[in-house]
């Protein structure tokens, strides 16, 4: 797995009319887990008025449709003249699943037209990859008492090089607060005879009724999984009934798990 990726350059005409910031996104959404540094090369030409621009990024906890507010790079200064300008931003994001990059533009002053032709190319250092995704339907009567049902998320993969993991979990159409969920992992040499599932989080999460999303944050492998002693590992979603619940759980759960290598 390569730890350095170079994305295709993308250009656009970015027009602004005041000092408020306009965000133009030049990449799609991608995994942020394991991403440590980002290089951006801005090629700015044909500036009109008081235009200025600088790279920016936007993250999302679990759903790109519900993103966080954009963040302008701390590295470097705004570009105000025609040039090739390189930016290198250090990232330490441990509680988001998705990220995308773009250009933050505005006028330095005034409310007149400002514009520029901008081409942006992004490169990032990242030893991370998608480990699995799953959709799980929890139906009334499927989970009861103290039962814990564990659903596989992706297949078995090598343990070698493993550093951290992260899961984004979206719960939809949750009947009430009867459900609890948690990320699990198991190891194996022979996938036909794997070891027991081991909980990855400090406890179960109790999602709100209706729709909700969460991120487990960056997690180390639990000691009980012994990932350095086995060839293979696999992730799973554990679901159970909350103690004292007034009924059986019913919900639809979407989960994505990613891993990074050291």
């Amino acid at each position: 797995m390569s730890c350095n990726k170079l994305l295709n350059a993308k250009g656009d005409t970015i027009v602004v009319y005041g000092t408020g910031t306009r965000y133009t996104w030049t990449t799609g959404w991608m995994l942020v887990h394991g991403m440590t540094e980002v290089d951006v090369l801005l090629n700015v030409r044909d500036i009109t008025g008081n235009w200025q621009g600088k790279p920016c990024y936007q993250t999302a906890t679990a759903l790109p449709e519900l993103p966080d507010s954009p963040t302008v790079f701390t590295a470097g200064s705004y570009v105000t003249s025609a040039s090739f300008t390189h930016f290198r931003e250090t990232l330490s994001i441990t509680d988001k699943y998705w990220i995308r990059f773009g250009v933050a533009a505005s006028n330095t002053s005034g409310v007149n037209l400002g514009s520029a032709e901008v081409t942006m190319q992004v490169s990032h250092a990242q030893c991370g990859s998608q480990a699995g995704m799953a959709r799980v339907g929890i139906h009334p009567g499927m989970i009861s008492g103290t039962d814990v049902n564990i659903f596989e998320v992706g297949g078995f993969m090598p343990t070698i090089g493993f550093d951290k993991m992260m899961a984004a979990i979206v719960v939809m159409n949750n009947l009430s607060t009867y459900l609890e969920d948690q990320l699990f992992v198991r190891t194996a040499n022979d996938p036909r005879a794997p070891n027991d599932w081991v909980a990855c989080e400090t406890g179960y999460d109790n999602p709100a009724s209706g729709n909700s999303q969460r991120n487990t944050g960056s997690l180390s492998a639990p000691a009980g999984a012994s990932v350095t002693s086995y060839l293979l590992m696999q992730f799973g979603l554990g679901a159970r009934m909350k103690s004292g619940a007034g009924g059986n759980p019913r919900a639809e759960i979407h989960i994505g798990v990613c891993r990074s290598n050291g």
Side-chain angles (χ1 to χ4, degrees), residues 14 16 40-55 72-73 75-87 103-108 115-119:
I14 301 178
V16 295
V40 170
L41 184 66
L42 287 186
N43 178 9
V44 179
R45 293 290 181 269
D46 300 326
I47 291 179
T48 299
N50 298 323
W51 188 95
Q52 64 175 356
K54 193 177 184 183
V72 179
F73 275 26
S77 302
Y78 276 87
V79 177
T80 58
S81 60
S83 62
F84 282 97
T85 306
H86 169 255
F87 297 82
V103 180
S106 63
N107 280 329
T108 57
S115 68
E117 298 288 336
V118 182
T119 300

Side-chain angles (χ1 to χ4, degrees), residues 74-158:
T74 58
S77 302
Y78 276 87
V79 177
T80 58
S81 60
S83 62
F84 282 97
T85 306
H86 169 255
F87 297 82
R88 176 165 292 177
E89 185 83 348
T90 299
L91 298 179
S92 57
I93 300 170
T94 60
D95 58 351
K96 306 296 179 183
Y97 203 83
W98 303 107
I99 194 169
R100 63 177 176 175
F101 297 95
V103 180
S106 63
N107 280 329
T108 57
S109 62
V111 293
N112 295 324
L113 171 70
S115 68
E117 298 288 336
V118 182
T119 300
M120 178 175 175
Q121 187 160 27
V122 176
S123 177
H124 55 87
Q126 181 185 34
C127 286
S129 61
Q130 192 78 253
M133 303 187 80
R135 174 188 174 276
V136 177
I138 305 296
H139 308 291
M142 181 176 174
I143 300 174
S144 61
T146 59
D147 294 347
V148 178
N149 285 19
I150 300 181
F151 305 89
E152 296 178 359
V153 182
F156 280 96
M157 68 194 72

Side-chain angles (χ1 to χ4, degrees), residues 183-201:
L183 180 66
F184 279 76
V185 67
R186 65 179 176 179
T187 52
N189 286 328
D190 180 355
R192 296 166 297 183
N195 297 316
D196 291 337
W197 290 102
V198 180
C200 297
E201 302 179 75

